[in-house]
């Protein structure tokens, strides 16, 4: 059977300096049990730690599955991440598109088959996703914390999509024909492309969430964007303000139809940003968010606004304890 003309699913794996994680990731991708042909496009953004060599080895071992795209220059650092992804999307042969970043992995060898079967039998759905484990840097799965919604399997409304990061990136599986625009018209410079994808797809068709744990989202990794956000306040502020700007563009793109929930989400994002930054002056502008917050968040707010000199060391200790 011809691989090029009969490929049903294109799996996109984005990689950068993932030498420690990439084998576990790629093993989980190549070992999927399916009754259809699928390809794995591995885009390496000019890694410097030897990741590229591992990808080449996997390509030699699985030439019918692994499609390497090893970039000579780092596109993300040059602000050209979308350019690289457009290349990936143009290469993709599948009817469907699945995602798994190089530091994440799948935990169910039947994941692709299950999602493929669902989408094939439900043509009005544009995207489906599922619950995921949290994993530590060594790939060990948490037994008490999960990336999942507080609901049973079923449809997600556009309001639910807008109000949270509802599904892990490694869980997303969507119909390629529902994405005629490779670059989302409202994304701008915001790097939260998974959130943008879910919103875009929710406007194109129905979204299905499975509460079955079939993947793992690795947290606390050295060199990750999350770690950089936790240690570099300027970078954190830049990222969250870009996200707030994208929310404004989504509001405009949808003609204000979801203005209330988008405004609420934007204010929540900015409230959390200024709380993490310890900016008591900005926080005072978000008392409406404070009133609806949980007790721990309210305590952080009170400490920041009214006991600011002691807030930073106390909050730092609290955040460190949360990560344990």
């Amino acid at each position: 059977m011809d691989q090029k003309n009969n490929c049903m699913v294109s799996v996109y794996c984005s990689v950068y300096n993932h030498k420690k994680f990439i084998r576990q990731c790629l093993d989980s991708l190549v070992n999927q049990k399916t009754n259809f042909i699928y390809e794995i496009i591995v885009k390496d953004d000019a890694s410097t730690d030897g990741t590229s060599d591992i990808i080449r080895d996997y390509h030699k071992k699985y030439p019918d599955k692994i499609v390497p795209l090893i970039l000579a220059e780092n596109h993300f650092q040059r602000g050209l991440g979308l350019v690289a992804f457009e290349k990936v999307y143009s290469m993709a042969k599948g009817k469907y598109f699945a995602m798994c970043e190089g530091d994440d992995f799948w935990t169910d060898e039947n994941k692709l088959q299950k999602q493929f079967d669902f989408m094939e039998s439900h043509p009005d759905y544009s995207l489906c996703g599922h619950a995921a484990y949290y994993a530590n840097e060594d790939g060990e799965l948490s037994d008490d914390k999960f990336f999942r919604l507080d609901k049973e399997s079923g449809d997600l409304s556009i309001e639910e999509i807008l109000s949270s990061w509802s599904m892990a990136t490694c869980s997303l599986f969507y119909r390629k024909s529902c994405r005629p625009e490779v670059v989302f018209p409202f994304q701008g410079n915001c790097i939260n492309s998974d959130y943008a994808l879910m919103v875009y797809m929710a406007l194109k068709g129905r979204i299905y969430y499975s509460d079955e744990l079939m993947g793992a989202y690795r947290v606390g990794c050295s060199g990750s964007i999350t770690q950089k956000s936790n240690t570099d306040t300027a970078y954190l502020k830049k990222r969250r303000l870009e996200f707030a700007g994208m929310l404004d563009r989504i509001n405009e793109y949808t003609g204000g139809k979801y203005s209330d929930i988008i405004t609420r989400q934007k204010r929540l994002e900015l409230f959390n940003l200024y709380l993490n930054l310890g900016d008591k002056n900005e926080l005072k502008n978000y008392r409406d968010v404070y009133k609806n917050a949980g007790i721990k968040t309210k305590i952080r707010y009170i400490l920041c606004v009214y006991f600011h000199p002691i807030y930073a060391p106390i909050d730092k200790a609290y955040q460190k304890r949360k990560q344990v």
Side-chain angles (χ1 to χ4, degrees):
M1 187 177 289
D2 181 65
Q3 175 84 10
K4 179 178 179 180
N5 295 325
N6 293 281
C7 178
M8 295 303 295
V9 177
S10 296
V11 179
Y12 171 47
C13 183
S14 178
V15 175
Y16 176 66
N17 282 356
H18 286 155
K19 181 179 180 179
K20 184 177 180 179
F21 319 120
I22 191 61
R23 293 185 188 276
Q24 185 176 23
C25 173
L26 292 181
D27 284 341
S28 76
L29 304 189
V30 300
N31 291 325
Q32 288 291 299
K33 293 184 176 180
T34 68
N35 60 16
F36 56 84
I37 290 174
Y38 69 97
E39 64 179 356
I40 305 164
I41 303 175
V42 188
K43 185 211 72 182
D44 178 19
D45 202 6
S47 292
T48 59
D49 66 345
T51 297
S52 307
D53 293 332
I54 297 174
I55 295 170
R56 292 186 183 98
D57 288 342
Y58 270 78
H59 173 56
K60 291 178 182 177
K61 188 175 181 180
Y62 304 98
D64 293 334
K65 285 186 177 179
I66 301 290
V67 182
L69 176 60
I70 299 174
L71 304 177
E73 296 181 288
N74 187 286
H75 280 52
F76 179 80
Q77 293 176 358
R78 297 170 59 207
L80 299 174
L82 290 176
V83 174
F85 181 74
E86 285 182 296
K87 173 65 174 176
V88 169
Y89 212 67
S90 68
M91 294 169 59
K93 305 296 190 301
K95 176 181 179 181
Y96 299 102
F97 204 82
M99 303 169 68
C100 188
E101 296 181 337
D103 53 350
D104 297 333
F105 55 97
W106 294 341
T107 57
D108 187 335
E109 63 185 7
N110 298 304
K111 169 206 149 68
L112 277 186
Q113 186 69 56
K114 291 175 182 178
Q115 291 188 294
F116 174 82
D117 289 343
F118 176 85
M119 296 294 279
E120 283 287 277
S121 60
H122 296 81
D124 53 336
Y125 283 76
S126 57
L127 178 146
C128 64
H130 55 75
Y133 294 95
Y134 282 117
N136 64 18
E137 187 160 358
D138 294 325
E140 299 168 335
L141 303 179
S142 171
D143 57 5
D144 60 350
K145 294 180 180 180
F146 308 98
F147 197 138
R148 74 193 321 171
L149 296 172
D150 187 21
K151 63 179 292 178
E152 296 179 351
S153 299
D155 282 16
L156 290 181
S157 67
I158 179 65
E159 289 81 6
E160 289 176 299
I161 295 292
L162 285 167
S163 62
S164 68
W165 182 18
S166 50
M167 295 179 285
T169 306
C170 65
S171 80
L172 303 181
F173 184 106
Y174 62 90
R175 198 178 305 275
K176 199 162 180 274
S177 62
C178 289
R179 188 177 179 177
E181 300 170 286
V182 180
V183 178
F184 304 120
F186 46 74
Q187 186 170 348
N189 293 323
C190 182
I191 66 171
N192 296 92
S193 56
D194 42 8
Y195 178 89
L197 169 67
M198 286 185 276
V199 172
Y200 185 86
M201 286 297 172
L203 297 171
K204 296 292 183 179
R206 298 171 70 180
I207 305 290
Y208 184 77
Y209 165 73
S210 169
D211 198 44
E212 186 175 1
L213 294 159
M214 295 192 285
Y217 173 66
R218 206 183 302 256
V219 294
C221 302
S222 55
S224 67
I225 290 176
T226 300
Q227 185 195 54
K228 185 173 181 180
S229 296
N230 291 336
T231 57
D232 186 337
T233 55
Y235 181 72
L236 170 66
K237 186 173 183 178
K238 179 177 181 291
R239 278 196 65 201
R240 301 328 294 162
L241 290 179
E242 285 175 350
F243 183 76
M246 183 171 73
L247 288 174
D248 286 335
R249 292 189 292 274
I250 291 172
N251 196 28
E252 181 179 356
Y253 182 78
T254 55
K257 185 177 180 180
Y258 307 101
S259 181
D260 289 346
I261 192 167
I262 290 175
T263 299
R264 190 160 59 246
Q265 180 66 12
K266 179 182 175 181
R267 290 188 64 75
L268 177 60
E269 289 288 335
L270 293 177
F271 172 85
N272 287 327
L273 167 64
Y274 295 123
L275 188 60
N276 288 330
L277 294 178
D279 191 331
K280 68 174 184 177
N281 294 324
E282 286 288 352
L283 268 182
K284 291 176 182 178
N285 298 318
Y286 296 88
R287 289 190 174 91
D288 56 318
V289 182
Y290 158 78
K291 290 178 182 178
N292 296 312
I295 184 64
K296 291 181 180 179
T297 301
K298 284 184 174 179
I299 291 173
R300 291 179 68 202
Y301 175 93
I302 291 171
L303 285 173
C304 183
V305 173
Y306 299 106
F307 302 94
H308 193 261
I310 64 172
Y311 173 73
I314 292 177
D315 195 60
K316 184 177 181 179
Y318 169 71
Q319 295 301 329
K320 185 175 181 179
R321 186 176 179 181
K322 265 179 58 175
Q323 296 172 12
V324 175

